[in-house]
Amino acid sequence: MYGVSGTGSVVGEEWGARAARSRALAVLRVRGRALGLAVLPAAVAVVLYAGGVTGHFTGSGWDAARWVVTVLAILVLLAATAVALVVTRARPAATPTVELAETAAPDLYRLVRDLADRLDVPAPAAIALTPDCDSWLEDRTHRAHRALRTPGAEGEGEGAPVLVIGSPFLWWMRVGELRAVLAPVVAGTGPAAHPDIAAARRFVRGLDAAVAVPGTPGLDPVRRLGAHGVGHVARVLLRACRGHAAEMERGVAAAGSERAQAVDYGVRIVAQEQVGLAYAGWDRLLTRVALPAWRMGRWPAKLDAGVVSALTELSRRDRLADGFSSRLGERPACDLLEEPGAVDEATSLLAARLFHGGPAEPGPDWSPVEWSQYPEEVVDRKWRTDAARLHQVLDGLGLADSAAGGGSGEGAADGPTLTRVIAHLSTEPTKPADADADDGAEKNDAAQERAFPADDAHLTEAPVSGTRTDTGTGTDIATDADADADIDDNAHIGIDIDDEEVVNPAAEALAGALSALLAREEAAREARVAATVLTAEAAARSAEKDDLHSGATPPPVVSGPDGPLPLFPLQPPRSGRDLLADHVTAMVCCAAVDTAEATPGLDWLDGPALLVGGERAVDLGPRVLALVEDGDPEPLRVWLARTGVRPEKPVRLV
């Protein structure tokens, strides 16, 4: 609407600041009304006592009214005092970040101060990094937050907010691009310094913290009951000022954006394109590359450096990103840090905590891994662990079947071979339910196929489904294998469901057993993490106190909530069919590595990859899905024969 400079920008900035101040006053009026309601009974009591002294309100009725109002005023004042204390003392939520001392990033602090001077706004109190593709100002003036803040520059304003910068920006963006992206964010410190806006923000953050007080662990029943009452009052007040607070923040953002238009406007347009590219690459890196390592108990120690490789690969593949990698010759923003490696390691560990729920400190079951070691330490180990789990489940199913009289000992004795897995998942093409005349032919075909190695599929598949018995005959073998009663009903009434019946009974049973085993392993992992978190947290607090008393410059520390559960899970729980496909793929990769010229590799955008002859095998997934979903082993067998993999050979497991 307004230009880059001139009166349009000034008018827009003034409009945003005035709108923010008016909304801040509306929030403070809500606080004033609440205070007025709290002192109203006391004021009535004062009037009644004054009337009694002057002789206007005399008699037994007025005396009783004075006593009742006095007791009510005392109770209301006590309740209001309790609410005010909780709102004032409650610790507001803080984003988990890696704090940066000025000694760890003097050039970055200098860049931010110069930017604040150009914008004619106060400089942020400190700088922190977060493993996310975003940047913002965060109010950390609460005393609990100030205790965790790493010392910044001398003479910095205690009331100024903290500048939180997304760590991927530092490694992917150039210095000029980072300055252009941070300009509208830093410009927000101007409106934030206004007393009314600062007071309104403190009030809203205090209410938000008070709402969460009832959930604080360790409260006795009496204190918890009082906390619920305080939380209810805070919730009512928060609901009353929520709209005004949102409009206030919009006004602050509008004022900062208008003010920042005069600084590197052209560069900022180009930098915004880099923000979108960085977000895409960072998401792929976390979900495809880092997540498999986290599930193995390893965390990549250089995620921010890896995002450069991921984005470079994305630029090479995506024509829309063509030319972005040519910027890599310019000075990266991470050069503004004194020790980029240490900061990258701290943010990588924080990313594992936020997105996976890993421990706060490295340990025997939670160790870092370098990118050069990723194929051997993560990819190969992941494949062999999944293959071992798959054969463990097959052994369990075989024991259960043999105990039931199924006689599946042969399948269990095959050892950890790919042939055993293929045979178990292979199925016959389903015949129409009304083709009773073909029952004998099906039995004869099954008997003839027992002469081939794929015969193990019938020995293991039948007991797993739990539906075929010695007395079962006809096409009931095919229809009863599915546990869905609706399909059985459709078969009896003669409806052709061949096109809809895609469930592999053996795969269903195997997927269910895998899901149960993985759920038990995950529960055990969370219990171990929860046990170590308490010890690590106590040790970290004592170390922080020692560093503060000694006066030494502390290393990058992490502030914010802690715990064994991820705050932002990357993926929803996977289905049993997806888990089975992953495990079968891992088994195929293990066989390829052990019996053919294949090696584990890393694809920056797709994660673990199988390299055959130095090239990534991209056609394996559909063939595995054909086996898992349809019970058709032929596409996979063709791929194995072409690649030179010997499925009958046992593979090495962990």
Side-chain angles (χ1 to χ4, degrees):
M1 178 177 177
Y2 300 109
V4 176
S5 60
T7 59
S9 178
V10 175
V11 171
E13 178 188 345
E14 288 298 327
W15 177 87
R18 289 181 180 178
R21 285 194 291 269
S22 65
R23 294 295 182 171
L25 292 176
V27 172
L28 296 180
R29 281 195 295 270
V30 173
R31 185 183 66 177
R33 294 191 190 100
L35 180 60
L37 289 176
V39 301
L40 180 60
V44 174
V46 170
V47 171
L48 291 178
Y49 278 106
V53 171
T54 58
H56 290 83
F57 303 146
T58 58
S60 58
W62 289 108
D63 293 338
R66 274 190 287 269
W67 279 106
V68 171
V69 174
T70 300
V71 173
L72 178 62
I74 292 174
L75 293 178
V76 172
L77 287 177
L78 289 177
T81 303
V83 172
L85 288 176
V86 171
V87 171
T88 304
R89 297 172 61 89
R91 178 179 178 178
T95 305
T97 55
V98 175
E99 308 290 339
L100 281 182
E102 186 173 6
T103 55
D107 293 340
L108 182 59
Y109 271 85
R110 190 176 303 111
L111 181 146
V112 172
R113 285 201 201 92
D114 293 343
L115 188 58
D117 291 340
R118 294 176 60 183
L119 295 170
D120 194 20
V121 295
I127 299 177
L129 299 182
T130 182
D132 195 7
C133 293
D134 199 359
S135 298
W136 65 89
L137 292 172
E138 188 165 301
D139 184 9
R140 296 185 181 178
T141 55
H142 194 273
R143 57 182 179 181
H145 297 157
R146 287 198 301 266
L148 293 175
R149 184 187 301 174
T150 302
E154 296 182 359
E156 65 182 11
E158 287 295 329
V162 174
L163 175 62
V164 181
I165 305 174
S167 60
F169 292 163
L170 289 177
W171 268 259
W172 176 245
M173 289 187 173
R174 309 300 98 181
V175 175
E177 295 171 346
L178 180 66
R179 181 190 300 110
V181 169
L182 294 181
V185 182
V186 175
T189 59
H194 193 276
D196 293 336
I197 296 178
R201 282 178 166 177
R202 284 195 301 269
F203 179 61
V204 173
R205 288 174 61 84
L207 292 177
D208 184 67
V211 170
V213 168
T216 304
L219 295 179
D220 57 75
V222 177
R223 295 177 61 189
R224 190 172 298 279
L225 181 61
H228 277 290
V230 173
H232 179 70
V233 174
R235 192 175 291 106
V236 172
L237 294 175
L238 191 61
R239 191 180 300 114
C241 62
R242 179 182 301 162
H244 298 300
E247 293 298 329
M248 177 186 68
E249 296 300 336
R250 291 191 183 96
V252 170
S257 178
E258 290 292 343
R259 181 182 289 266
Q261 285 187 4
V263 179
D264 298 336
Y265 182 76
V267 180
R268 183 146 57 98
I269 296 177
V270 178
Q272 289 299 328
E273 299 177 355
Q274 301 301 320
V275 171
L277 183 64
Y279 183 86
W282 182 249
D283 179 72
R284 293 292 290 267
L285 183 71
L286 291 181
T287 56
R288 304 294 181 89
V289 179
L291 189 58
W294 294 339
R295 288 172 176 163
M296 297 298 299
R298 307 295 297 273
W299 51 279
K302 298 294 185 294
L303 277 179
D304 292 312
V307 77
V308 178
S309 300
L311 291 173
T312 303
E313 179 68 15
L314 181 63
S315 301
R316 186 182 66 83
R317 297 183 187 180
D318 191 354
R319 289 182 299 175
L320 296 178
D322 187 22
F324 285 163
S325 59
S326 61
R327 309 160 31 262
L328 299 181
E330 304 174 13
R331 185 191 182 193
C334 63
D335 283 355
L336 301 174
L337 306 176
E338 288 294 307
E339 297 182 3
V343 176
D344 194 357
E345 185 172 347
T347 54
S348 299
L349 182 58
L350 177 58
R353 285 178 51 203
L354 294 179
F355 301 118
H356 182 65
E361 298 292 338
D365 298 330
W366 188 243
S367 56
V369 61
E370 299 293 335
W371 291 124
S372 59
Q373 303 171 345
Y374 187 94
E376 293 296 330
E377 297 291 334
V378 175
V379 179
D380 187 74
R381 183 185 168 198
K382 175 185 182 299
W383 288 343
R384 300 191 185 279
T385 301
D386 289 350
R389 187 182 297 112
L390 179 61
H391 283 281
Q392 178 185 351
V393 173
L394 286 175
D395 292 340
L397 293 176
L399 291 176
D401 295 337
S402 63
S408 60
E410 296 180 15
D414 287 340
T417 64
L418 180 58
T419 299
R420 180 193 186 193
V421 177
I422 296 176
H424 182 83
L425 295 176
S426 300
T427 59
E428 287 289 324
T430 306
K431 300 297 181 182
D434 56 351
D436 296 334
D438 296 334
D439 293 348
E442 287 185 5
K443 293 182 180 179
N444 294 335
D445 293 341
Q448 292 175 2
E449 290 183 2
R450 289 192 177 93
F452 296 94
D455 169 59
D456 292 340
H458 301 281
L459 296 178
T460 57
E461 177 190 353
V464 168
S465 64
T467 57
R468 179 183 294 186
T469 61
D470 295 337
T471 60
T473 58
T475 55
D476 289 340
I477 295 175
T479 57
D480 291 345
D482 198 328
D484 194 343
D486 294 337
I487 296 181
D488 281 346
D489 295 337
N490 293 337
H492 288 301
I493 64 177
I495 297 178
D496 187 4
I497 56 173
D498 289 348
D499 294 338
E500 300 178 2
E501 191 178 67
V502 296
V503 177
N504 185 345
E508 286 295 316
L510 189 56
L514 273 175
S515 300
L517 180 58
L518 281 171
R520 291 193 295 269
E521 293 178 358
E522 184 66 18
R525 184 192 71 85
E526 291 183 0
R528 290 195 304 269
V529 172
T532 57
V533 159
L534 298 177
T535 304
E537 190 178 33
R541 288 178 179 176
S542 62
E544 288 174 4
K545 292 180 180 179
D546 295 340
D547 290 337
L548 291 176
H549 290 313
S550 63
T553 301
V557 296
V558 175
S559 64
D562 197 359
L565 298 178
L567 298 180
F568 311 102
L570 289 178
Q571 290 182 344
R574 294 173 294 174
S575 65
R577 186 63 59 88
D578 294 335
L579 292 174
L580 179 58
D582 290 344
H583 284 69
V584 174
T585 302
M587 185 64 198
V588 174
C589 293
C590 289
V593 171
D594 291 346
T595 64
E597 298 294 331
T599 57
L602 168 62
D603 187 281
W604 289 109
L605 296 178
D606 294 326
L610 178 66
L611 304 181
V612 180
E615 298 292 334
R616 180 188 171 196
V618 296
D619 56 345
L620 178 58
R623 302 171 188 272
V624 172
L625 289 179
L627 174 64
V628 172
E629 295 182 356
D630 304 327
D632 183 11
E634 289 306 318
L636 181 58
R637 285 174 176 166
V638 171
W639 186 89
L640 296 175
R642 185 178 71 248
T643 311
V645 179
R646 303 183 62 182
E648 74 279 0
K649 292 292 184 180
V651 300
R652 178 173 56 87
L653 304 178
V654 292

